[in-house]
Amino acid sequence: MRIIAHLDMDAFFASVEERERPYLKGQPIAVGADPQGGKGRGVVSTANYPAREYGIRSATPIRKAWELSEQARKKGLPPVVFISSGFRKYGDVSAKIMSIVFSHLRGVPKNLFEKESPAMEQVSVDECYFDLSFAGSFKKAEEIGSKIKKDVVEKEHLTATIGIGPNKLVAKIASDFEKPDGLTIVPPDQVLNFLQPLSVRKIPGVGPKAEEKLARLRVRTIADGRKLSEEKLKSVMGKWGSELYRKLRGEDDSPVVVEAPPAKSIGEQETLPEDSLSMKVLLPYVERQAKNLIGYMGKEGFKTFRTIVLTVRFADFETVSRSRTLPEPTGSAETLRRHVTQMFFPFLDRQENPGKKKIRLVGVRVEKLL
Ligand code: TTP
Ligand code: MG
């Protein structure tokens, strides 16, 4: 049995800005271009839910958003807080969300030799599909879905909405059903009932034009659409008609396209059997790790790295990392060994270890893999 989930963050950019400014809680927020007192150019990237009540959404011209905010203010409602987009930040948060989802999926390699990767496909900055078939039942899949939601709240202080169904199509429609902070489960025997009353616009790919064509055939809901034959749909919609015919029935067999694990770094660390400050004891650990990493890289299909990170944890648990980025990418084990030992020596003397503390753990990581 196939069980597919779709996760979509709620008012993503706006929620990220909101969590950084707790005093804005509950206020209407629009993220996007600068409104410049009503003269600004550009559009809204997204609005949080209170701002959506004023009619502001993604792609609303920023001047229009400003007007709507002014109208609200005149009615005694709070004006919209306009914030300019910080795309880099959203990218970083996005990566964290994706790795939270990833960590709940089976098939996460327990070690670097295990090839099997969980089926997860990121489709935009704030959405992804993932395969929960391994759960074995929709009940279990629901439990995983709520654990993921909880984890996202705890770790990132953001809410996500998840839809679960027998395929990507139904999962996507389900995740749109109870936004924000929703979890909608549609098992196979409920697909038709679930879709029945929804507008045909809820089907991905049905935009304003297709909606209008269908409206001319008196089709508004998915139930209406199901009354049309495949031939009829083809004559109105062209080739796409056949696909639409299947979508109206909740049928979809497109695969979750598996990607490489999100983290593009490989590392190893070891706690020593005994805390030590002896070069003779410590150096072989660091050198062996460096050598292992080159092997792991090959197994993961990477040929070169550019950044080396060395981590040392002292006996008192103080942990220090030092990184070095090489001028050119390399795949050479000898180059890695040489840099890692150079980076390690200062930890044995006053430079990085003035208190002469013993070392408890050492780790090496390579990044910027290609
Ligand atoms: P969406 O998931 O479409 O929107 P959202 O997360 O803001 O709100 P919700 O899912 O709760 O309805 O898009 C994700 C982010 O992508 C959004 O926060 C901002 C950005 N975006 C744009 O910059 N322009 C756009 O036209 C859209 C639709 C989104
Ligand atoms: Mg979203």
Side-chain angles (χ1 to χ4, degrees):
M1 180 173 49
R2 244 184 135 211
I3 306 178
I4 306 297
H6 180 257
L7 171 143
D8 190 320
M9 299 300 294
D10 302 322
F12 184 50
F13 293 3
S15 308
V16 171
E17 300 297 344
E18 196 172 342
R19 76 171 184 187
E20 285 169 15
R21 301 170 178 79
Y23 53 90
L24 289 183
K25 195 134 196 68
Q27 298 294 308
I29 299 172
V31 174
D34 179 351
Q36 297 182 355
K39 296 196 195 68
R41 291 146 54 86
V43 296
V44 172
S45 294
T46 197
N48 70 352
Y49 283 77
R52 287 181 200 188
E53 280 172 24
Y54 297 172
I56 302 173
R57 338 222 96 96
S58 295
T60 301
I62 201 74
R63 295 162 81 147
K64 176 79 186 163
W66 177 266
E67 267 172 42
L68 291 166
S69 167
E70 285 300 289
Q71 282 169 20
R73 195 171 57 81
K74 283 177 193 142
K75 282 191 228 153
L77 296 166
V80 173
V81 178
F82 289 91
I83 300 175
S84 35
S85 321
F87 295 107
R88 241 201 96 167
K89 179 167 56 182
Y90 312 138
D92 291 348
V93 181
S94 166
K96 289 192 177 138
I97 304 292
M98 298 303 151
S99 65
I100 291 175
V101 174
F102 197 78
S103 72
H104 285 265
L105 304 183
R106 204 168 63 191
V108 175
K110 285 180 205 60
N111 59 54
L112 290 158
F113 304 107
E114 205 177 276
K115 227 18 219 169
E116 197 196 343
S117 212
M120 166 166 157
E121 177 184 359
Q122 183 174 355
V123 282
S124 82
V125 69
D126 81 331
E127 347 158 40
C128 61
Y129 291 100
F130 46 99
D131 195 326
L132 292 178
S133 307
F134 69 83
S137 71
F138 276 77
K139 184 99 194 53
K140 284 264 161 57
E142 178 171 6
E143 285 166 21
I144 298 170
S146 41
K147 274 194 200 138
I148 292 175
K149 277 167 58 72
K150 196 160 157 253
D151 212 8
V152 170
V153 169
E154 279 169 9
K155 297 207 172 95
E156 291 298 320
H157 309 285
L158 294 170
T159 60
T161 296
I162 295 180
I164 300 179
N167 55 44
K168 284 167 84 172
L169 171 72
V170 176
K172 168 99 180 165
I173 299 175
S175 77
D176 185 54
F177 187 69
E178 284 195 288
K179 255 183 169 299
D181 201 13
L183 177 61
T184 301
I185 318 296
V186 186
D189 59 346
Q190 285 167 39
V191 168
L192 291 181
N193 274 339
F194 169 70
L195 295 178
Q196 198 91 332
L198 303 180
S199 156
V200 283
R201 272 300 287 277
K202 295 288 175 188
I203 296 179
V206 176
K209 280 200 191 131
E211 182 184 27
E212 205 188 301
K213 282 187 188 169
L214 290 165
R216 277 190 233 124
L217 300 171
R218 298 219 178 81
V219 168
R220 202 186 60 77
T221 64
I222 292 179
D224 299 336
R226 272 216 297 271
K227 292 185 191 129
L228 302 182
S229 69
E230 188 172 350
E231 289 313 308
K232 181 75 192 169
L233 279 169
K234 274 207 298 210
S235 72
V236 182
M237 300 296 206
K239 264 202 316 222
W240 193 62
S242 300
E243 211 177 302
L244 181 58
Y245 181 85
R246 287 199 303 278
K247 289 186 179 195
L248 287 162
R249 284 153 184 78
E251 291 167 18
D252 167 41
D253 54 14
S254 58
V256 175
V257 179
V258 180
E259 303 160 296
K264 289 248 188 305
S265 82
I266 292 178
E268 193 172 70
Q269 53 181 41
E270 275 167 284
T271 302
L272 309 166
E274 231 182 304
D275 299 352
S276 169
L277 198 55
S278 146
M279 180 159 82
K280 238 174 75 190
V281 173
L282 293 164
L283 208 53
Y285 278 90
V286 179
E287 291 186 313
R288 195 177 52 238
Q289 288 176 359
K291 192 165 158 232
N292 289 346
L293 293 191
I294 296 292
Y296 301 157
M297 267 177 53
K299 287 208 169 63
E300 298 278 304
F302 296 109
K303 292 197 172 60
T304 60
F305 64 88
R306 232 191 111 193
T307 297
I308 304 162
V309 185
L310 175 78
T311 300
V312 168
R313 180 169 298 148
F314 295 106
D316 61 0
F317 277 84
E318 187 200 6
T319 307
V320 183
S321 288
R322 292 284 175 259
S323 76
R324 182 179 282 190
T325 297
L326 309 178
E328 295 287 346
T330 176
S332 152
E334 174 51 24
T335 306
L336 179 60
R337 194 198 59 79
R338 190 158 39 82
H339 283 283
V340 160
T341 36
Q342 275 174 12
M343 290 164 78
F344 186 62
F345 283 133
F347 286 100
L348 299 175
D349 64 28
R350 223 169 304 153
Q351 258 190 64
E352 291 280 13
N353 188 2
K356 293 241 167 214
K357 289 189 284 192
K358 286 189 175 175
I359 290 172
R360 146 180 194 94
L361 167 149
V362 290
V364 180
R365 194 168 76 237
V366 283
E367 299 179 347
K368 299 220 168 92
L369 304 175
L370 281 174

